[in-house]
């Protein structure tokens, strides 16, 4: 059977939990085209998330954030494989985006359950509206109370959240990134990148969404330019390639994404995964890999606001044996 | 209907997840008597966990640790209530216990997914067997390679794991403590203590087990004296008492248990919860409560080995208004 | 020469820095009797710190906190030795104490240079006055805005700060505890305890003060019951006993004090030091020591407000070979 | 008096401590040309540090690392000013560099006093030699045990350590970065960058050295390409510009460097300093600055191996009002 392009109906589930009923079954090699909703459930026309798209499990409370497309069952994917997600196209499809700051979200403030506790009064919450000029690929922000009253920034759209069913049945992937990917808020999951996700449950149960039109490192205020897009992904199962953490690849870098708390351990997770990759697949002696990466490797602090933080470790492909 | 004592059949589920089918329905005021299995699933006669007691959800992997009794549906319990668990009796029922150390569990070593990453070689794993003399209430440990070849320690049995269904559908409570209780490994959840658990899902979905015959602060090596017991609990629903974290009470102290990472935030969670309790229920002005607790409050580091750590903050009841 | 009791003149230096001129030279075996000043420099009669007692080094700013008695040069003390400080007597000598809360000190608030940064508004600073009834050994605190308007707590005076010259010339010991002791704010440095300090510089350069009449775990609000006392110490040099961290001993426990950030590493420092002590001096096989301490060891969270935090690890002497 | 170029004699002190005797007095506007020694004290000809250049303070132990040029007394610099250091020229002057890995240095291993404690066996220490081809501006590394046996990387020389006398007399700046700059190991302190250091002590007491020919983010293995250079700096005192942390500026970015532990707080220190800069000097309303920086700001993880870690927060100058 030839590979196919599936048009995913916009039935949206909030979680990538493996026991959810898949909305789509696909094969390795297939492509999927679908339109996402924003982090609060609004679509490209400004319609809110319909009640029937909200998960209905008695006795369970769901976070109101990050409704995702999926889960998608990939037939060939089995635990121990990797799911290569080729991000082929992200086309923004709405002339606006919002950002916000919250009294209990964002790590330089106090934070809700299980995170950062303070005696201080909360910060003042607020919304920030951006206009997206899709022709010129810029975002516009008005700041009447600042000396510079208006700013224009280039857009670089990416998937804020993309992941598979986690091991151990963990189910709060709406906000929490981890070894299954999820809400990593990585600027690297953009057009042209291939994301390799470890498959923890047979079928993988891929889900994604939460488009960011632009974002700085750390997603400091707790939100990026939150909007919607039409997204084209091509999926490919790589058999018997067990990964501990998501890996990524673009024209310049091989990369790994570690997500945990505290921040240092997210960094350590990413670096150990990168070291293992260099040794196992590229034939570096262990301490040579560590030495070389110490001199040429870079890192990016992903988000520092989610329940777990994300650090991306990057190694330039020009120093890999295959690039000689 | 008068309150009843339920004898829980040993059908054991690993998780306190609200979507699991309850094994028992009880009413506020009822008591439950049941025999637990140890952290690896063995019963008081040394029989392993039968296959049919293991959770069977296709595509989901379950941790092999801490099979619990439950979940138990408490009819009156609704989100926003508290479930008071009076721990009436813990009777050890096995002449032995085991402890262990693991290469990737226990926070002074490297650790598995999402926790602590190292370049160092792993430590040597090992098992440690203890004899329990239930007559004399002591544990005996042989150390032929130490100057002191044998040691006897007093036993103080407690529930290592007791919790309810978590908010947001989180399901890995086998190992991870949180705002739902769970694997807190608190020496305080012993005979005579009342544990107040926040109810996050209607019915509460109580589960418990993982008896420790004795344990030091921090459960440093990753295991306590792991064994089994017959446990009697009396349950009571307290309507409209929303708690952010588990609270405890015994003859001497009111206490709160915060569980998260890093360790400092577990401490902060417990202290903020205790401060709120002192202000809301005991009429302390906020900064007076903080001042007094700064001078008379104590803390105990619960476990430092689980995916989240636990700190218990304790305030002596002799300084509460009700004790005057 | 027989051992002597030295009466230390109240010339007070703020730091235990080895290049400061010693105020006293003593021999191993000598005792010292001296009266301390409180954390803001006031003596037992309420007189502030005279200008001539403040350190005068051009171009260097000194913290206004914790003027100490010392430094004291101990003739026999050389790097690699331990200085045993027998805390023989602490006699409170003032009918009052103060405590406080500060906008930028205390770890559940934002904090000044190098510590904890927030976007939140600061907390409201304030002073709290306590009356000390030295006859009845209690502290009295008035809380007119609380339901319980007045509270009496038992006193347990101890040295908040006691240490020696640090390695590497570090000089901010007024506030920062470390491997030289310093501002550990440990309730354990009280009458009857022997404190073993590693000697990092020849002569040791002991300094001490900062009497706390009482304090809870963590010194949460940033201050204990701050007051003054007459203190009698007996000093003893133990040759060739290199310690990585301060150790303590009282009738019940051997103890170690780790001080660093984050909190977990203070814990780890104390536990590794305790493990080494059990193995080297008490003949435990390494993993037996770890196992036994995991089951009977306790910990205490010292302060969580200083630039470094302190954790005390405690092992009961009843389980040591010498106690058989 | 016209500004002058001073040729600093290679008398080298290890610390930037304000009580050290300055080796040079300069005026605001002066330039300094000097040759550095490498992190172990070797000069450009391979000669080790002479005994007379080592600090000699009785009773004080000095770390064997990072001998620096200085301290330099800047006449106009007073506490509350900023010292602008224009890094005009860094000319490598040695055909080799070394790097290393150590058993107790580098944060993915266990670490020495006050840092990271483990039960694991140490990693294997080792030295790594690099050849510097100064003509072609590349470093060459031989890896006979790796599939790729030899690698060439571009050089980007920078000052690993540059700072002033710290507040509070702290003196271990050989290894520890802080609010005085110091051993930040920032790739940004390179030719073309202006570094703004807060002046804490009158005269500033500038010191610098520790040339790195190249380095990845984090200095993961604990060393960069350690070598020597001839360095030209131009100094300028900016009166009454009190900074909490070092700031930097190059053609593209304004930047701030936060250094503390844990890693998250280094990030928070840098971000709060950057926010304050944007508000105070560039007229952004506070939440506008936070919003804009959340969308366009980037960060770089400096070192994660020193006693304190460094994070650099960067804001693109194209979005500042002055660039309009």
């Amino acid at each position: 059977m030839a590979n196919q392009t599936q048009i995913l109906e916009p039935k949206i589930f909030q979680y990538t939990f493996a026991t959810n009923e898949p909305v789509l079954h696909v094969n390795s090699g297939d492509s999927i085209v679908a339109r996402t909703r924003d982090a609060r459930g609004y679509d490209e026309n400004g319609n809110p998330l319909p009640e029937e798209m909200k998960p209905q499990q008695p006795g369970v409370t769901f976070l109101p954030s990050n409704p995702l497309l999926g889960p998608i069952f990939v037939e060939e994917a089995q635990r121990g494989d990797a799911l290569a997600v080729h991000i082929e196209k992200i086309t923004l499809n709405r002339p606006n985006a919002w950002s916000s700051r919250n009294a209990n979200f964002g790590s330089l403030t106090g934070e809700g359950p299980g995170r950062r506790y303070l005696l201080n009064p909360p910060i003042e919450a607020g919304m920030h509206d951006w206009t997206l000029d899709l022709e010129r690929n810029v975002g516009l922000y008005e700041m009447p109370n600042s000396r510079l009253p208006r700013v224009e920034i280039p857009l670089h759209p990416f998937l804020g959240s993309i992941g598979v069913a986690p091991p151990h049945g963990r189910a709060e992937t709406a906000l929490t990134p981890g070894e299954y990917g999820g809400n990593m808020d990585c600027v690297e999951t953009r057009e042209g990148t291939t994301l390799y996700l470890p498959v923890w449950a047979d079928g993988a149960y891929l889900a994604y969404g939460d488009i960011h039109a632009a974002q700085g490192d750390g997603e400091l205020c707790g939100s990026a330019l939150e909007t919607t897009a039409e997204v084209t992904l091509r999926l490919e199962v790589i058999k018997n390639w067990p990964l501990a953490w998501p890996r990524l690849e673009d024209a310049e870098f091989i990369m790994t994404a570690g997500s945990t708390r505290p921040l240092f351990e997210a960094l350590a997770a990413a670096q150990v995964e990168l070291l293992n990759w260099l040794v196992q697949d590229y034939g570096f002696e262990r301490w040579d890999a560590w030495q070389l990466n110490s001199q040429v490797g870079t890192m990016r602090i992903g988000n520092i606001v989610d329940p777990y933080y994300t650090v991306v470790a990057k190694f330039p492909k020009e120093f890999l044996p295959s690039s000689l």
Side-chain angles (χ1 to χ4, degrees), chain A:
Chain A
M1 189 179 80
N3 291 327
Q4 300 190 325
T5 296
Q6 307 273 356
I7 312 292
L8 183 57
E9 288 298 311
K11 183 171 175 199
I12 290 172
F13 282 84
Q14 196 171 7
Y15 297 101
T16 60
F17 191 41
T19 53
N20 283 341
E21 197 59 38
V23 295
L24 192 68
H25 284 70
V26 302
N27 288 99
S28 179
D30 284 356
S31 294
I32 301 166
V33 181
R35 284 163 295 127
T36 67
R37 285 179 177 263
D38 76 17
R40 298 191 177 177
Y42 289 85
D43 69 10
E44 71 269 30
N45 300 312
N47 300 314
L49 195 69
E51 275 309 303
E52 67 269 20
M53 287 192 189
K54 294 181 183 166
Q56 311 289 349
Q57 288 186 279
V60 180
T61 307
F62 290 88
L63 289 175
S65 296
N66 286 351
L68 302 180
L69 292 154
I72 297 166
F73 192 96
V74 186
E75 295 294 346
E76 295 83 353
Q78 293 177 295
R79 193 180 171 102
D81 297 340
L83 178 66
V85 181
H86 304 283
I87 305 174
E88 300 202 324
K89 198 95 196 134
I90 299 179
T91 308
L92 294 175
N93 57 4
R94 205 171 79 182
N96 53 65
W98 53 265
S99 186
S100 62
R101 61 177 192 280
N102 305 286
N104 290 299
F105 189 69
S107 292
L108 270 75
T109 64
E111 284 191 276
R115 294 184 248 157
R116 206 174 203 233
Y117 293 87
L118 304 175
L119 298 184
N120 300 58
I123 68 161
E124 178 196 356
M127 288 297 292
H128 301 271
D129 293 316
W130 289 72
T131 302
L132 303 186
D133 181 335
L134 302 183
E135 289 293 306
R136 299 173 50 233
N137 200 40
V138 294
L140 295 88
Y141 179 59
E142 309 283 343
M143 309 178 277
N145 299 318
S146 294
R147 188 186 311 163
L148 178 72
R150 187 173 181 278
V151 73
E152 237 182 59
I153 67 170
L155 303 180
H156 56 102
F158 63 95
L159 288 156
S161 194
I162 177 165
V164 290
H168 312 312
R170 184 166 36 193
E172 59 189 348
T173 53
L175 270 184
T176 309
E179 65 276 28
Y180 49 85
N183 193 38
M184 299 184 288
D185 293 317
C186 273
V187 298
E188 288 84 5
T189 47
R190 69 186 155 218
E191 229 176 80
T193 294
T194 295
L195 170 67
Y196 303 104
L197 290 164
V199 176
W200 301 107
D202 293 354
Y205 288 79
L206 179 73
Y208 55 97
D210 186 25
I211 290 292
H212 294 178
Q215 184 199 290
D217 289 356
E219 203 188 12
L220 296 172
C221 71
S223 325
L225 299 199
E226 307 287 339
T227 189
T228 62
E230 186 179 275
V231 176
T232 305
L233 305 180
R234 187 166 51 83
L235 308 182
E236 186 186 357
V237 174
I238 304 175
K239 299 303 290 179
N240 295 313
W241 196 36
L243 315 177
W245 291 95
R247 298 180 181 180
L248 307 95
E249 184 169 2
D250 63 15
E252 275 184 278
F253 296 101
I254 61 169
M255 298 170 269
T256 53
S259 298
T260 185
R261 288 186 91 202
L263 182 59
F264 182 85
E265 297 300 339
L267 179 161
Q271 288 295 353
V272 170
E273 183 76 0
L274 183 56
L275 179 61
N276 290 340
W277 196 2
L278 290 170
V279 169
Q280 288 161 10
D281 288 7
Y282 295 101
F284 286 96
E285 187 272 337
R286 179 174 162 90
W287 295 125
D288 280 343
W290 193 237
Q291 170 60 217
L292 185 54
N293 188 31
S294 295
Q295 310 309 342
V296 303
T298 54
M299 286 188 270
R300 215 184 50 74
I301 296 174
N303 90 69
I304 56 149
V305 295
D306 291 328
Y308 285 166
Y309 304 152
T310 299
V311 171
V312 175
K314 309 168 79 158
F315 188 89
K317 290 166 96 168
E318 62 180 307
F319 303 118
L320 295 177
S322 57
S323 71
L324 290 187

